[in-house]
Structure formats: structure tokens, C-alpha cells
Amino acid sequence: MTRQPQPSPLDPAIAARLKRSADGLVPAIAQQYDTGEVLMLGWMDDEALHRTLTTGRCTYWSRSRQEYWVKGDTSGHVQRVKSVALDCDADTVLVKVDQTGAACHTGTRTCFDTDVLPVTQ
């Protein structure tokens, strides 16, 4: 199902640059600001990005629940925003955060530590 973008107070200059998927979302990578550890990937629309930029807490769009969620509101595992950047194509957001507790819904620090794949060269 395609999400219809909703009006948002996101800065129009930022909104004009974003390249969204067909459902109006951009991937958002959360990275620990001081160690560079990649914590998780979530999805943002214009409103989620606006909330992230203005509240200092990461807000994502839940594709499964079809609602906004602020990381840590239920778990206590808060992401405090240190910086936000767009990649060179403006189709991915990098949010550098100070992560409290686990970033992954499974209870681990990062979503990228369970299935490390072998690399053969």
C-alpha cells in the first residue's frame, strides 16, 4: 500500500531535496555518535524527520503499525540526536545519536551483530 505524504512543517528546502520511496519514506540509519557503531535502520517520512530535528529524539514511521514511534518511549532505550545528515543523493538519512541501552528490538545493542556473514575473497 502506498502512503500518501501528509503536510508537514519540515523545512521546505529540506523536503524539496529528499528522494523518497514510492511509499513516501526514506531509510534512516542510526549510528552511535562517538564510536561510529551502526545501531539500526528505521524509516522516516517528512513528519518523522521534522520531529527528529526539532525534539532531539529519533522519531520513525512504523511500516508494520502504520504509526509514528519515538525510540525509547516504551523501552527506555532512548536515542538522543547529536546530528542529522543526508547522503549525497538525499535518499538516506544518517542520524548520529547517543544511544541508551539496546537499539535493537531483540534487546541487543545493535541490529547488526547477530548474522555476520562470511566474506571470501
Side-chain angles (χ1 to χ4, degrees):
M1 179 171 106
T2 301
R3 285 186 76 250
Q4 295 301 316
Q6 300 300 312
S8 168
L10 181 64
D11 179 328
I14 297 170
R17 292 187 56 212
L18 285 178
K19 292 186 181 112
R20 301 160 194 80
S21 64
D23 54 2
L25 301 171
V26 293
I29 300 166
Q31 180 181 35
Q32 179 63 34
Y33 82 100
D34 54 353
T35 65
E37 180 182 29
V38 177
L39 300 170
M40 60 171 280
L41 177 123
W43 295 92
M44 292 184 179
D45 64 2
D46 289 19
E47 179 63 23
L49 181 54
H50 169 73
R51 292 180 188 186
T52 297
L53 292 168
T54 59
T55 67
R57 298 265 315 275
C58 281
T59 301
Y60 300 99
W61 175 257
S62 171
R63 296 178 301 164
S64 60
R65 295 188 311 264
Q66 295 289 295
E67 65 185 17
Y68 295 103
W69 58 281
V70 179
K71 182 68 175 166
D73 270 1
T74 56
S75 67
H77 300 162
V78 176
Q79 292 177 343
R80 296 205 187 318
V81 177
K82 295 294 189 175
S83 68
V84 180
L86 297 178
D87 76 338
C88 58
D89 297 319
D91 64 359
T92 304
V93 176
L94 175 63
V95 186
K96 292 189 178 182
V97 302
D98 189 8
Q99 176 72 47
T100 300
C104 188
H105 72 281
T106 65
T108 60
R109 170 85 179 155
T110 172
C111 294
F112 297 99
D113 64 353
T114 304
D115 289 322
V116 178
L117 306 176
V119 176
T120 58
Q121 298 181 13

